[in-house]
């Protein structure tokens, strides 16, 4: 059956509409090593600010990122209980997650990277970096970086509350409060979310409780932030890591404490960060005794920014794990990093990049260069970049000792070389972003079986393979062009990925289901003052999996102090597996009532 692609329809609408001048994105990126407008970047950068997030029919970080083109947000279960995020076909371990610029990746497994102790409503903006530019942030930035930036100053409304209900006994309650007095701002947020199983007689129910507190002291010369976060997830994990019929339960808890301070002088800024997080993971498989894991991670960082054009820095990280499912009771590692980053104007060209040196306590070291150039051409910009990045194996990759999966202490670290050329164009007010890229990963890590291991039903073993991904992504944004006609968002995008995996083994668990094509169309339209409708259509295909179509939609009415919203997910009732072995949820709906006071 032929599928009519709505992207063509949206494109025709955009090109036939009256044109007017629209500027390229002028939002500032502050999570990077230096500050620049998005449109001036030599790298692929995108920002979702709080207004963008409030417009979307979402309640958690994972569902918000589903609206960003080129991201493969693979969820096990519903409600963001367990999320693997891939950027441009890379592994989920190759995406670095930051909160206010401090590292959140879990040393046990990338499956826990989205145990983020932040309520969605407490986020000021989300910064997304794709491709080689992510290598500037250090390890795990092989393919991209997600930086979650929290609110630092309260507006006129000092508190807000939401109550939500929906299908499968879904309920959510959220309370957020913020207050700014003189130089001090304080924020406190908490939420609880529960849902029943979306498959009859399957164990997929969940309860999520989370909270966050921040104190911010800001003057003309300095800004200090102290943050505390907590999240507790208890969920049925049937089919998450084993067969769809295998019952399992999991409980994860993450505690997070961090402090950042920036001191500003005439032409120099000094910033420091200290970060600690502890992650507990208790997994019950069938009726067996649970496997219990606890990881701790410490980070300290010091940077000097000179005239917003040059940054020098040092970073120290320590990670450890205690687990009942690894060889040996406890494992620990540390690494040091020194780096320099800068950007310079050479006549019409802008040159930017960084050089990092990583030194691990086991003797491994890496030199990671990243470089990019930007060339303005009238209202347009062309850019090119290239770089190297690295990911050391997770603790599970090295030491896991379970009947179905085994680590491998002889693993080599993943080393990625990538390059990208692209452009940002303003054609009669229609903003177009396009990029062509190539990424080669030497010693990519996957869980594999030889032919004999597969025949004997042996465990999957972590091994190194080589992987290449090339492709392109393109996005058309007619939001500004059609704003006067009531459109608050109108974008279409397409991502094409071509995978070439040098895998000598009979089975490889994760590389065989990578994304191949993704077409997205998103629209938000103001029907009348205060009433907006949103919709997103997504067509995805994967290697070794049939294509599927997704449609999400919502309507929201905002009054002076309160609002209501109704949304639906997977309205086409697509039957597909997003990740693991269990089917993704079918049609779902949600009603929301919120007030600011």
């Amino acid at each position: 059956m032929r599928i009519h692609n709505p992207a063509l329809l949206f494109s025709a609408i955009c090109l036939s509409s009256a044109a007017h001048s629209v500027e390229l994105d002028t939002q500032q990126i502050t999570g990077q090593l230096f500050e620049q407008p998005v449109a001036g970047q030599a790298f692929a950068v995108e920002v979702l600010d709080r207004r963008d997030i409030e417009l979307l029919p979402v309640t958690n970080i994972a569902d918000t990122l589903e609206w960003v083109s080129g991201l493969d947000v693979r969820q096990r279960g519903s409600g963001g209980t367990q999320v693997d995020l891939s950027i441009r076909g890379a592994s989920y371990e190759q995406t670095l997650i930051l909160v206010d610029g401090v590292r959140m990746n879990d040393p046990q497994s990338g499956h826990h990277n989205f145990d983020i102790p932040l309520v969605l409503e407490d986020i000021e903006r989300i910064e997304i970096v794709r491709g080689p530019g992510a290598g500037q942030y250090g390890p795990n930035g092989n393919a991209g970086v997600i930086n979650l930036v929290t609110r630092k100053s309260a507006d006129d409304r000092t508190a807000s509350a939401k109550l939500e209900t929906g299908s499968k006994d879904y309920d959510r309650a959220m309370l957020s409060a913020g207050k700014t007095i003189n130089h001090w701002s304080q924020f406190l947020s908490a939420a609880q979310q529960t849902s029943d199983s979306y498959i009859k007689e399957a164990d997929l129910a969940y309860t999520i409780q989370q909270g966050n507190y921040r104190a911010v002291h800001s003057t003309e010369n300095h800004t200090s932030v102290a943050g505390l976060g907590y999240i507790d997830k208890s969920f049925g994990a049937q089919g998450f890591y084993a067969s769809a019929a295998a019952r399992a339960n999991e409980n994860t808890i993450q505690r997070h404490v961090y402090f950042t301070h920036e001191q500003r002088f005439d032409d120099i800024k000094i910033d420091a960060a200290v970060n600690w997080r502890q992650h507990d993971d208790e997994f019950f498989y069938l009726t067996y005794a649970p496997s219990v894991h606890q990881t701790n991670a410490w980070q300290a960082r010091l940077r000097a920014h000179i005239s917003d054009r040059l940054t020098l820095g040092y970073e120290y990280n320590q990670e450890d794990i205690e687990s009942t499912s690894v060889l040996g009771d406890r494992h620990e590692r540390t690494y040091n990093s020194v780096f320099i980053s800068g950007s310079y104007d050479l006549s019409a060209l802008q040159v930017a990049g960084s050089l990092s040196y990583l030194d691990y306590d086991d003797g491994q070291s890496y030199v990671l260069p990243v470089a990019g150039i930007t060339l303005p051409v009238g209202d347009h910009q062309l850019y090119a970049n290239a770089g190297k990045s690295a990911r050391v194996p997770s603790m599970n990759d090295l030491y896991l000792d379970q009947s179905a999966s085994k680590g491998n202490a002889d693993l080599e670290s993943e080393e990625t070389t990538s390059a990208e050329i692209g452009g940002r164009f303003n054609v009669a007010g229609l903003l177009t972003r396009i990029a062509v890229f190539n990424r080669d990963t030497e010693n990519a890590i996957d869980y594999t079986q030889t032919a004999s291991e597969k025949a004997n039903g042996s465990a999957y073993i972590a091994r190194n393979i080589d992987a290449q991904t090339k492709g392109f992504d393109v996005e058309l944004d007619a939001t500004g062009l059609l704003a006067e006609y009531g459109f608050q968002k109108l974008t279409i995008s397409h991502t094409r990925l071509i995978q070439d995996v040098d895998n000598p083994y009979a089975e490889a668990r994760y590389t065989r289901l990578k994304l191949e094509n993704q077409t997205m169309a998103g629209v938000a339209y103001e029907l009348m003052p205060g009433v907006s409708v949103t919709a997103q259509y997504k067509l995805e295909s994967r290697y070794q999996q049939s294509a599927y179509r997704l449609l999400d939609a919502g309507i929201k009415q905002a009054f002076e102090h309160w609002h209501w919203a109704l949304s639906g997910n997977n309205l086409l009732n697509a039957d597909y597996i997003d990740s693991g072995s269990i089917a993704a949820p079918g049609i779902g709906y949600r009603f929301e009532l919120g007030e600011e006071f």
Side-chain angles (χ1 to χ4, degrees):
M1 182 179 70
R2 184 180 180 185
I3 297 175
H4 296 279
N5 191 335
L8 300 178
L9 174 61
F10 279 115
S11 181
I13 292 173
C14 295
L15 294 175
S16 63
S17 300
H20 60 88
S21 177
V22 179
E23 291 185 1
L24 291 173
D25 203 332
T26 58
Q27 289 172 303
Q28 293 287 122
I29 292 293
T30 58
Q32 292 208 120
L33 301 179
F34 50 89
E35 299 180 4
Q36 283 183 297
V38 171
Q41 289 288 325
F43 309 101
V45 177
E46 185 172 352
V47 175
L48 291 179
D49 63 24
R50 189 149 56 103
R51 292 175 301 174
D52 298 324
I53 297 171
E54 290 174 348
L55 193 63
L56 303 178
V58 297
T59 60
N60 60 68
I61 296 169
D63 287 345
T64 302
L65 293 173
E66 294 271 16
W67 286 71
V68 179
S69 62
L71 303 191
D72 188 14
V73 186
R74 305 186 65 184
Q75 301 195 44
R76 292 174 170 88
S78 60
T81 51
Q82 202 279 307
V83 179
D84 295 338
L85 175 64
S86 169
I87 296 180
R88 290 178 171 174
S91 74
Y92 56 90
E93 298 270 18
Q94 293 180 336
T95 300
L96 177 60
I97 309 298
L98 307 173
V99 170
D100 287 335
V102 298
R103 302 175 63 86
M104 296 298 292
N105 285 50
D106 186 73
Q108 178 196 348
S109 168
H111 291 314
H112 302 315
N113 286 350
F114 269 78
D115 286 357
I116 301 172
L118 274 183
V119 175
L120 179 64
E121 289 81 1
D122 215 22
I123 294 176
E124 183 65 31
R125 67 183 180 275
I126 302 175
E127 301 171 348
I128 302 111
V129 183
R130 301 177 180 87
Q136 299 176 91
Y137 292 79
N140 295 87
N142 301 55
V145 173
I146 306 294
N147 184 33
L148 306 171
V149 182
T150 60
R151 296 174 61 190
K152 302 298 189 300
S153 179
D155 50 25
D156 294 338
R157 297 281 173 257
T158 59
S160 63
K162 285 184 183 178
L163 293 175
E164 303 171 22
T165 188
S167 54
K168 304 301 181 184
D169 292 328
Y170 168 85
D171 292 294
R172 181 175 185 258
M174 186 283 303
L175 179 64
S176 179
K179 186 69 173 178
T180 297
I181 300 177
N182 297 325
H183 298 299
W184 283 95
S185 296
Q186 297 189 71
F187 298 89
L188 180 64
S189 299
Q192 176 171 293
Q193 179 176 318
T194 63
S195 181
D196 199 357
S197 175
Y198 59 85
I199 297 178
K200 188 177 181 180
E201 297 181 356
D203 194 354
L204 296 167
Y206 69 81
T207 298
I208 301 174
Q209 298 173 325
Q210 58 193 120
N212 180 267
Y213 169 78
R214 284 183 325 287
V216 182
H217 187 262
S218 185
T219 69
E220 182 180 351
N221 297 323
H222 81 268
T223 299
S224 300
V225 180
L228 305 172
Y230 177 86
I231 186 168
D232 186 330
K233 293 183 177 181
S234 179
F235 54 94
Q238 181 167 333
F240 281 23
Y241 312 109
S243 69
R247 299 181 71 87
N249 295 88
E250 191 163 7
N251 180 236
T252 64
I253 297 173
Q254 177 135 278
R255 306 166 186 89
H256 184 215
V257 179
Y258 69 100
F259 175 78
T260 65
H261 177 79
E262 180 183 276
Q263 190 71 40
R264 295 177 285 272
F265 304 96
D266 290 339
D267 294 320
I268 297 176
K269 292 188 297 186
I270 305 293
D271 77 70
V274 179
N275 178 37
W276 170 79
R277 61 193 185 279
Q278 182 181 75
H279 190 274
D280 292 331
D281 175 23
E282 190 175 45
F283 184 76
F284 293 82
Y285 179 66
L286 300 176
T287 58
Y288 306 144
S291 56
V292 179
H293 321 260
Q294 184 180 85
T295 59
N296 288 273
W298 293 264
Q299 176 192 15
R301 186 187 66 212
L302 181 65
R303 300 185 299 197
H305 309 268
I306 304 171
S307 300
D308 290 332
R309 288 294 183 177
L310 180 67
T311 295
L312 306 172
Y314 167 78
E315 185 176 305
Y316 170 82
N317 283 266
Q318 180 179 327
E319 302 172 332
D320 68 57
I321 185 171
E322 292 187 68
S323 173
T324 60
S325 297
V326 300
L327 293 171
D329 295 330
R330 179 184 174 89
H331 296 277
E332 180 181 313
R333 67 181 171 210
T334 63
Y335 75 85
N336 297 273
S337 172
V338 292
F339 50 86
I340 181 172
S341 174
S343 66
Y344 303 93
D345 293 326
L346 300 175
S347 187
L349 281 176
Q350 183 185 76
V351 180
S354 68
L355 182 66
S356 304
Y357 175 75
L358 307 180
D359 181 36
Y360 284 81
D361 58 355
D362 64 357
Q364 297 184 78
S365 61
Y366 307 91
V367 177
L368 306 178
V370 176
I373 59 172
T374 305
L375 175 64
V377 182
D379 292 334
H380 321 299
Q381 279 142 0
L382 304 176
Y383 69 88
N385 54 68
K388 293 190 67 175
S389 52
R391 178 182 86 85
V392 299
S394 69
M395 299 295 190
N396 276 3
D397 292 338
L398 293 169
Y399 308 116
L400 188 64
D401 185 24
Q402 295 180 334
S403 59
S405 301
K406 302 285 187 182
N408 181 357
D410 295 325
L411 284 173
E412 299 289 336
S413 296
E414 296 180 334
E415 296 188 61
T416 298
T417 303
S418 53
E420 173 185 1
I421 57 173
R424 294 175 281 261
F425 308 98
N426 179 355
V427 181
L430 178 66
L431 303 185
T432 302
R433 305 178 184 93
I434 186 168
V436 180
F437 49 85
N438 182 79
R439 183 179 64 252
D440 288 302
T441 298
E442 182 181 352
N443 296 320
I445 299 170
D446 202 347
Y447 284 77
T448 63
Q449 287 180 321
T450 64
S452 61
E453 289 168 347
K454 181 178 179 181
N456 295 330
S458 301
Y460 282 82
I461 298 175
R463 295 185 174 101
N464 291 118
I465 60 177
D466 291 335
Q468 180 191 50
T469 302
K470 54 187 176 181
F472 69 89
D473 48 41
V474 59
E475 181 179 64
L476 305 179
D477 186 344
T479 304
L481 178 65
L482 300 178
E484 62 183 288
Y485 303 107
F487 284 91
Q488 299 164 303
K489 176 184 176 68
L490 183 56
T491 61
I492 60 170
S493 64
H494 181 72
T495 299
R496 171 74 169 107
L497 301 172
I498 301 171
Q499 307 275 357
D500 183 10
V501 179
D502 183 9
N503 174 29
Y505 306 104
E507 289 287 337
R509 178 177 291 167
Y510 296 112
T511 54
R512 60 190 175 91
L513 286 178
K514 293 293 181 65
L515 194 65
E516 183 177 15
N517 287 284
Q518 182 192 76
T519 300
M520 293 173 56
V523 61
Y525 182 75
E526 190 176 40
L527 290 173
M528 60 184 70
V531 180
S532 298
V533 293
T534 54
Q536 182 197 64
Y537 172 90
K538 185 184 292 187
L539 171 63
E540 290 185 336
S541 63
R542 300 182 182 279
Y543 291 92
Q544 300 186 23
Q545 189 180 58
S546 300
Y548 52 90
R549 298 176 297 159
L550 302 173
L551 177 64
D552 299 337
I555 183 171
K556 181 176 182 179
Q557 183 172 15
F559 300 91
E560 184 177 359
H561 300 304
W562 64 281
H563 71 270
W564 66 267
L566 180 65
S567 61
N569 303 101
N570 193 8
L571 296 177
L572 300 178
N573 202 25
D575 183 10
Y576 70 104
I577 294 177
D578 208 12
S579 189
S581 302
I582 200 75
I587 297 175
Y589 65 86
R590 177 179 61 87
F591 177 76
E592 171 187 316
L593 187 65
E595 183 178 7
E596 295 181 336
F597 48 90

